[in-house]
Amino acid sequence: QVCAQLCRRPCYCPWVPPRCPRGSPLVLDGCGCCKICARRLGEPCDFLHVCDQSQGLVCDYSAGTGATCNFEDGEEGCEVNGRVYRDGEVFQPSCKLQCRCLDGGFTCVPLCQEDVR
């Protein structure tokens, strides 16, 4: 019933899809109608403005002051260069660094000794 109230048929979408910020893919809105930029960790969301499910994000209504995108199981995460990493996940933002997401922050160690020419 909520869907029927919010979703107009036929769909009326802009001719040109929006340009999304880095790390935010184009997805269909909550009506399955128009392409929008997926919301990222901590961003506001609702039925129409959906979270980036490819990053494991869902619209979390538990705060009571408005919904925001959060991890499905409520664990902490890190956003680095527009990409979201889960708590405990190890990643390489460059060929010279290896990082680990931990409790909403991240720590990195160098993979290379000093550059030798």
Side-chain angles (χ1 to χ4, degrees):
Q1 186 175 4
V2 172
C3 180
Q5 293 172 356
L6 294 174
C7 302
R8 295 184 305 173
R9 297 287 183 220
C11 296
Y12 294 102
C13 305
W15 283 97
V16 178
R19 290 187 58 132
C20 298
R22 185 174 175 202
S24 181
L26 267 178
V27 296
L28 288 177
D29 63 16
C31 294
C33 199
C34 301
K35 291 199 176 202
I36 60 167
C37 299
R39 299 292 172 105
R40 297 181 293 180
L41 183 64
E43 292 184 336
C45 56
D46 55 34
F47 175 77
L48 289 173
H49 303 95
V50 297
C51 300
D52 187 355
Q53 292 179 344
S54 71
Q55 296 286 322
L57 300 176
V58 294
C59 200
D60 182 4
Y61 294 89
S62 65
T65 57
T68 57
C69 293
N70 203 348
F71 287 109
E72 192 166 9
D73 50 0
E75 69 184 36
E76 292 283 329
C78 311
E79 184 173 355
V80 180
N81 296 329
R83 179 141 194 285
V84 177
Y85 299 94
R86 290 184 173 267
D87 192 54
E89 187 174 353
V90 175
F91 60 96
Q92 277 187 249
S94 74
C95 63
K96 295 181 180 184
L97 288 176
Q98 180 173 330
C99 303
R100 176 184 298 270
C101 175
L102 192 60
D103 296 328
F106 60 95
T107 56
C108 300
V109 294
L111 293 174
C112 311
Q113 298 298 328
E114 291 183 38
D115 287 342
V116 178
R117 289 183 181 222

